[in-house]
Structures are given as structure tokens and as C-alpha cells.
Amino acid sequence: MAFVQLGADNKVLKESIQSKLEAAKVKSEPCDAKLYDFDDVFYRLFIDPDDRSKLLITLTTPNWSAIRSNGAEEILKEKCGDYLTNFNADGAQFTVNLDDEKARDQSVEIAQSFSKLRIYTLGGPLYKYARALQTGKIAETKALDFKLRRDTHCWIVPGKDRIAVVLGFEFPIKTDKILGNQILTEFLEVRRQKDLQSAPVIAYSKDAPSELKGLKIPSWDTQAFLGYFTILLLPSHVKANKLETAVENVIGFRAYLTYHIKCAKAFFHQSMRARVKKMQQILNRARYEDDQDKRKKKKIIVGAK
């Protein structure tokens, strides 16, 4: 089974911000655009018709209260602090000055910095724990759990020399649950390959792993619950040059899984349609066609008296 690596950046958000900055070189136009990202993250781009000198960018996420003080604020200040206006109850707000010639000239760089807002926000806690692991202070931290999205719960559990990230999945659609189980099982098989021995250790089970002993477990929907997927990160996985990639891959795993489930379903539908079309062609060739030239004519034989 082949998998496609999803990019961590939101290209629609990036292109929208870049286009507004480039357009401001000539004339800034009013804007009120709403954009949606993976994991229930929402953005709003706004240029006031009465004040076209500013582009307001608002980020909203349902789990902000759980992650705000656990690394999310800190990483947003670090990555986008030059444009950060304030934090609110649901997320953060940023302002880009469209009258600033330097900002207009750096439209590509600014748009790129905002394209990973989802990862910076949801991955803030993991950045915090990974850096503690780098500096040898991981033992001073406590386990954290929060709802990554409405159908996925996340635990970050520190150890003496490692971090365990446990994801609990729910799939309300039965076919998605079946395909998700197959994909996660495939991950376990692939991880056993010799050339992947340095990759993070992973585990998949229906029962809560030992890392969650003594921690709060949510009440799962028994019909939708799929299982627990555990990723163990060692210091070598979160070194300075690997930290950002590690966070992107772990936090983006649920979106990655959902994407491939949808791709698998699309492939199955395409294969079934192709198969039905082929069967119809075979049936059409086998259909009996009445041939007038070969039809036998009835003969009347008149017997002599």
C-alpha cells in the first residue's frame, strides 16, 4: 500500500494572504473570506472597506482553552509574533500592515509563515514537551491530554528519556472505521522493515496502552471507537533539525489518516464502476440478436389423396 505525504501548510491560506499583499502594491480591495482547515481549525481574512491599510487574520479552534497555556501561545509568539495582535477565548488575531512597503515586498515569506498556523497552534504542546526532552527537563513535566478534534483525543505522556503521544480515534462511518483499521495495521507491518528501525516506535491497540495508566480516559462511542495509536519519540527524533518535521507528522497524523481513507474509498468506487462497465460490455456481446436471413421458414406440405 502506497501513501502520500501531506504538506503541513495550508496552500489556500498562503495564496490568499500573498495575493492580498501583492494587490496592495496597486490598490487594496475590501475582503471578508472564511477558510477552513483540517482538525476543525477556522480562519477569517478581513480588510475593512473603511480602512484598507490592514489585513486582519483570525484563527479559531475549539480546543484553544486546553492548549493555550500549554505551548500554543508561546509557539505562535515565536513564529508569528511580529504580526500578533491579541489572544481571545477561541484563538488568536494577527494584523498585517498593507501600507508597509517592506511587508508587500516580502509577501511570499509572510504568507509562508502563516500557512502553518494549524500546526503551530495544535502542535504548541508537543513543541513544549519536545524542547523539554532536548534539554533533559522532560522529567519535570506532567502528562497532558486534550481533544485534538471532535473525534480524536490526544495524550502527551513524558517519560525519563522519551515522549509518548497517544491518539484515540473515533470513526462514526462504518466503512471509514474498517479502512482505518487496515491502514493502521499496515503501519505496524511497515515499521518492522530493517531500513526503518530508527523511526519512532509505534503501537496500535483496541485497549488503552500502559502509558495511559492512571490518566483520564474519555467515554468513547462504542460503535465509532477504533483504537489507540501510540508514537514514541526519542531525543534523536526531536533534534533541532528534526523537531518541526516531527511535530508536523504527529499532529497531522489524523488528517493524514482521514485523507487516505477517502482516497481508498474513491479508488474502490472507481474500480467497481470500471468492473460494472466491463460486465455490461460482456452482457451486450452475449445478447441474442434475431437474424431475419437465418430464420427458418415454415413449409406447408400438402399430402396427395
Side-chain angles (χ1 to χ4, degrees):
M1 184 182 292
F3 296 99
V4 176
Q5 181 65 49
L6 295 179
D9 56 332
N10 185 313
K11 290 181 171 54
V12 177
L13 178 63
K14 175 184 175 181
E15 291 172 3
S16 298
I17 295 174
Q18 184 177 340
S19 66
K20 297 305 175 187
L21 287 169
E22 292 177 349
K25 296 177 181 179
V26 181
K27 182 181 179 181
S28 179
E29 296 292 340
C31 170
D32 190 0
K34 297 178 181 179
L35 308 175
Y36 293 87
D37 207 339
F38 291 114
D39 304 327
D40 305 326
V41 175
F42 166 79
Y43 311 106
R44 183 188 182 197
L45 307 183
F46 182 72
I47 300 177
D48 193 329
D50 299 326
D51 182 8
R52 305 184 185 185
S53 64
K54 299 177 181 178
L55 170 61
L56 303 180
I57 304 170
T58 304
L59 175 144
T60 303
T61 178
N63 57 7
W64 177 247
S65 60
I67 63 177
R68 177 175 182 174
S69 60
N70 288 296
E73 270 195 14
E74 182 181 347
I75 198 66
L76 285 176
K77 288 178 181 178
E78 176 185 326
K79 299 293 185 180
C80 304
D82 293 340
Y83 310 100
L84 181 64
T85 305
N86 61 67
F87 295 108
N88 52 47
D90 300 315
Q93 189 174 74
F94 308 85
T95 302
V96 180
N97 188 353
L98 298 177
D99 287 342
D100 185 353
E101 184 177 351
K102 183 179 179 181
R104 295 197 298 264
D105 292 338
Q106 296 180 343
S107 60
V108 176
E109 292 79 4
I110 293 174
Q112 180 61 37
S113 67
F114 280 105
S115 68
K116 295 184 179 181
L117 275 181
R118 174 178 66 94
I119 295 297
Y120 297 151
T121 305
L122 301 183
L126 187 53
Y127 271 107
K128 177 182 176 180
Y129 280 79
R131 287 171 176 171
L133 181 62
Q134 288 176 342
T135 57
K137 298 180 179 180
I138 191 64
E140 301 174 10
T141 60
K142 297 181 180 180
L144 171 69
D145 74 281
F146 61 95
K147 210 163 189 177
L148 183 63
R149 45 184 278 173
R150 71 190 73 176
D151 50 17
T152 303
H153 204 90
C154 178
W155 293 265
I156 302 178
V157 186
K160 293 182 179 180
D161 59 349
R162 65 190 63 194
I163 301 170
V165 181
V166 183
L167 300 172
F169 299 126
E170 282 186 331
F171 286 93
I173 301 175
K174 186 176 180 180
T175 51
D176 288 1
K177 183 178 177 181
I178 294 171
L179 291 172
N181 179 72
Q182 182 60 40
I183 292 174
L184 293 179
T185 302
E186 184 75 11
F187 263 94
L188 299 181
E189 295 298 325
V190 172
R191 175 59 180 78
R192 294 190 179 98
Q193 296 179 9
K194 292 182 178 180
D195 55 341
L196 295 177
Q197 294 305 304
S198 61
V201 174
I202 58 175
Y204 168 52
S205 65
K206 303 293 183 180
D207 299 322
S210 58
E211 288 84 0
L212 300 186
K213 185 177 181 180
L215 300 181
K216 183 180 178 181
I217 306 294
S219 298
W220 302 108
D221 180 346
T222 55
Q223 297 297 320
F225 180 64
L226 176 61
Y228 299 91
F229 191 75
T230 305
I231 305 171
L232 293 180
L233 297 174
L234 302 176
S236 60
H237 299 136
V238 295
K239 292 190 296 187
N241 60 333
K242 294 183 177 182
L243 175 58
E244 190 160 336
T245 301
V247 174
E248 290 175 1
N249 290 339
V250 173
I251 297 301
F253 186 78
R254 171 61 199 236
Y256 172 90
L257 180 60
T258 302
Y259 172 81
H260 284 91
I261 289 174
K262 302 305 180 187
C263 286
K265 293 174 76 172
F267 173 75
F268 293 147
H269 282 292
Q270 183 181 21
S271 299
M272 286 188 291
R273 284 194 294 268
R275 181 62 177 167
V276 169
K277 184 177 180 180
K278 185 176 180 181
M279 292 176 67
Q280 286 178 333
Q281 291 173 344
I282 294 173
L283 291 173
N284 288 337
R285 287 197 297 267
R287 185 182 299 167
Y288 173 75
E289 296 181 0
D290 193 14
D291 190 345
Q292 296 291 339
D293 297 331
K294 296 182 179 181
R295 181 181 296 175
K296 294 182 179 179
K297 296 180 179 180
K298 294 182 180 180
K299 296 181 180 180
I300 301 176
I301 301 175
V302 180
K305 293 183 179 179

